[in-house]
Amino acid sequence: MFEYVGGMTATPLLTAEAARDAVRAELDAVEAAYERLRAVATDLVGNAFRIEIAERLEAQQRASRGLSYRMFGEIADPPDGLGDPELPVGVKIRDVLASRLRLTAAEVRRRFRVAARIRPRRSLAGPPMEAELPELAAAVEAGQVGDDHIVAVCRGLDRLPASVPAAEKHKAERTLVRHAREQDSQFVNVIGTVIADCLNPDGTFTDEDRARRRSLVLGRQGPDGMSRLTGWLDPEARAYLEAIAAVVRPGRHQPEGEPERDRRSPEQRCHDALKLALKTAIGSGGLGRHRGAPVSVVVTTTLAELEQAARAAVDPAVPMPPPARTGGTGRLPMSDLIRLASESIHYLAVFENHSERPLYLGRSRRLATADQRIIGYARDRGCTKPGCFVRGYDCEIHHACEWSAGGATDADNLFFGCATDHAAATDGTYTTTVAEDGRIGWSDGTGPPRVNDVHHPERLLGDDANADDDDDDDLPRSA
């Protein structure tokens, strides 16, 4: 009897336990070989031989990545069509992968997306279907291309409009993969552009093509507070931005503090136009509600910082305090906060000095009020499960002591949790506990509760080297 592995090669049919033993044995042999290889001195081998070593190691690394994509593909779409009884009920497989492989959630999603395109697909009946990108799949399995090549090939093919025939797309894939086997990814990117121009010389794209390409990526905030914005606008979005940009012409809608003569560049006026549009949209009240509260800018700070900022505004000798925090991941300079608050009404949560306990704890009822959500923005800033980076704007409200178990809907029992983690806590995958300091700890039953400090960098920099040695310390451990 034979079984198909990856839909390409036939191997003798093994039982599940025999297959596991065989794979573990081969991996043990590989790890042992690497251990012996690391022990061999390479001081005298010469650079020509070192280049040969680097080439072979690169090929082995790519072959390993191909096997990894095979695992991701089989996890997403098991060949037997069944789940895994060895995993606990309710466990989120992507969370397990992120934790065991020490990968970000975004990287886990990326690998699943790649695997879905280069792995055979299971049909409703009959044998597996060919992979979406069979030429690329073969090159990945053989260890002939790396992740940068995969990105370049996929990008080149995704540039093609839906109107290009399947046969032409396959020829384009074959050409791109052939060059990927011989050249670097930058060269493959250039070839991809040339092929797209050749197959679509008139630049004909449908609404579906444009919808597929639209994107905006807000980059991380830099030390100076600035954030990079990249992406593609569809024609409608461009029309709106052009109309707003036309309004922000020289001499109009200048930021406060700018010289009387408008010295802004066209690019700076376009930036100010986008800011004006966003500010007007939020101020209009026409964006509805988000998770129970009007769509608004949420900012948190301390009373002492507000007072210091007020003094600094009139006395240059007083330093401006650190930036306030928004409900997302942004930092807002206190000067901007004061100007924003003077122009419109938004939510501002203020803490007592030197305390993380909010001044206002809200009212009790089944669902959290808008006021109680504001406390979540101020205290938690984002999802409270250890290691989760989901920002406050995208979180739900979680009862630390469940409502069904008699938990009150008071602010000191309500904490932010992203949709995935909130569901996992609700179904019992995780338990949550509030410590005496008001912080919430999460546990999956395999260890003590831990807290999430990723939204509080000031805590990450704290000295907790002796925390585990304190037998009287009943606080949840830091993430």
Side-chain angles (χ1 to χ4, degrees):
M1 297 179 66
F2 291 84
E3 70 173 354
Y4 283 96
V5 178
M8 297 180 184
T9 58
T11 60
L13 184 62
L14 301 174
T15 65
E17 190 59 39
R20 284 192 283 264
D21 289 342
V23 170
R24 285 173 179 144
E26 296 297 345
L27 289 174
D28 289 343
V30 170
E31 290 167 358
Y34 272 113
E35 189 67 29
R36 294 192 300 272
L37 184 60
R38 282 191 293 268
V40 177
T42 55
D43 308 55
L44 305 176
V45 298
N47 280 347
F49 185 65
R50 293 188 185 104
I51 292 173
E52 178 186 337
I53 295 173
E55 181 182 24
R56 294 183 64 178
L57 290 175
E58 185 69 20
Q60 292 173 20
Q61 183 183 53
R62 291 171 176 174
S64 295
R65 180 53 54 86
L67 288 170
S68 177
Y69 281 129
R70 175 170 136 189
M71 296 303 103
F72 274 77
E74 292 181 355
I75 289 171
D77 187 14
D80 56 10
L82 302 175
D84 194 335
E86 296 183 5
L87 291 174
V89 176
V91 70
K92 303 298 188 295
I93 194 72
R94 298 193 178 209
D95 287 350
V96 175
L97 281 168
S99 175
R100 294 279 294 273
L101 277 61
R102 299 192 300 280
L103 297 175
T104 64
E107 174 61 14
V108 171
R109 290 193 298 270
R110 187 196 70 80
R111 293 193 186 184
F112 273 119
R113 287 197 300 269
V114 172
R117 303 189 74 174
I118 65 173
R119 296 296 306 159
R121 295 163 288 175
R122 185 158 51 91
S123 60
L124 296 178
M129 297 184 296
E130 190 178 50
E132 176 192 347
L133 303 177
E135 297 288 340
L136 181 59
V140 171
E141 186 180 37
Q144 296 170 329
V145 296
D147 269 333
D148 52 345
H149 293 104
I150 295 173
V151 171
V153 171
C154 290
R155 182 183 294 132
L157 296 173
D158 291 343
R159 285 196 189 100
L160 301 177
S163 58
V164 173
E168 294 295 328
K169 287 185 178 179
H170 183 69
K171 286 172 59 178
E173 179 196 354
R174 189 164 59 245
T175 300
L176 288 170
V177 171
R178 174 166 55 83
H179 286 291
R181 287 186 171 105
E182 303 168 354
Q183 304 287 346
D184 59 40
S185 59
Q186 185 176 3
F187 185 89
V188 177
N189 272 320
V190 174
I191 295 298
T193 302
V194 172
I195 290 175
D197 291 341
C198 179
L199 294 180
N200 188 29
D202 298 328
T204 303
F205 293 95
T206 64
D207 290 341
E208 179 185 352
D209 297 326
R210 286 186 284 270
R212 178 162 46 90
R213 293 194 64 198
R214 74 190 190 283
S215 64
L216 275 181
V217 178
L218 180 62
R220 294 182 65 86
Q221 199 168 12
D224 60 354
M226 302 296 283
S227 305
R228 189 177 186 85
L229 186 67
T230 58
W232 295 95
L233 299 179
D234 64 20
E236 182 183 353
R238 180 186 176 92
Y240 293 142
L241 184 57
E242 284 179 332
I244 297 296
V247 173
V248 186
R249 57 183 183 271
R252 296 286 303 277
H253 300 287
Q254 286 185 255
E256 286 186 17
E258 292 280 334
E260 199 169 305
R261 181 181 175 188
D262 194 341
R263 300 180 184 276
R264 292 176 295 177
S265 67
E267 294 79 10
Q268 290 171 332
R269 288 199 299 274
C270 187
H271 166 278
D272 294 346
L274 178 60
K275 183 167 70 172
L276 174 64
L278 297 174
K279 177 180 174 182
T280 303
I282 289 180
S284 70
L287 296 178
R289 302 176 72 82
H290 175 66
R291 301 190 184 278
V295 176
S296 308
V297 176
V298 179
V299 185
T300 62
T301 185
T302 67
L303 191 59
E305 289 170 345
L306 272 180
E307 293 172 344
Q308 181 181 345
R311 293 195 305 271
V314 296
D315 185 357
V318 177
M320 191 63 73
R325 293 275 177 172
T326 71
T329 58
R331 302 184 304 276
L332 187 69
M334 296 299 290
S335 56
D336 289 345
L337 171 58
I338 293 172
R339 182 172 62 253
L340 184 151
S342 68
E343 296 175 352
S344 57
I345 300 175
H346 294 275
Y347 285 105
L348 176 64
V350 181
F351 284 133
E352 291 179 292
N353 298 340
H354 313 298
S355 170
E356 293 186 355
R357 293 196 180 278
L359 294 173
Y360 177 69
L361 293 180
R363 300 173 295 277
S364 296
R365 68 177 197 177
R366 173 65 182 87
L367 299 178
T369 66
D371 294 327
Q372 289 166 332
R373 279 197 65 85
I374 300 308
I375 297 306
Y377 286 117
R379 179 194 55 212
D380 304 332
R381 301 181 184 172
C383 180
T384 54
K385 177 179 170 291
C388 185
F389 286 85
V390 173
R391 59 185 189 168
Y393 282 143
D394 300 324
C395 284
E396 299 175 352
I397 292 292
H398 165 63
H399 286 69
C401 177
E402 288 291 346
W403 173 265
S404 59
T409 308
D410 293 329
D412 53 2
N413 189 47
L414 303 176
F415 295 85
F416 273 165
C418 68
T420 300
D421 294 332
H422 185 199
T426 301
D427 65 24
T429 302
Y430 294 97
T431 58
T432 53
T433 308
V434 180
E436 291 183 1
D437 69 346
R439 299 168 71 186
I440 185 173
W442 292 63
S443 174
D444 60 1
T446 61
R450 296 185 301 127
V451 300
N452 190 13
D453 284 342
V454 298
H455 302 289
H456 300 269
E458 68 280 1
R459 296 177 187 164
L460 294 174
L461 297 174
D463 183 10
D464 59 354
N466 298 320
D468 293 335
D469 299 329
D470 187 356
D471 294 334
D472 297 327
D473 183 9
D474 62 351
L475 299 180
R477 299 301 180 205
S478 173

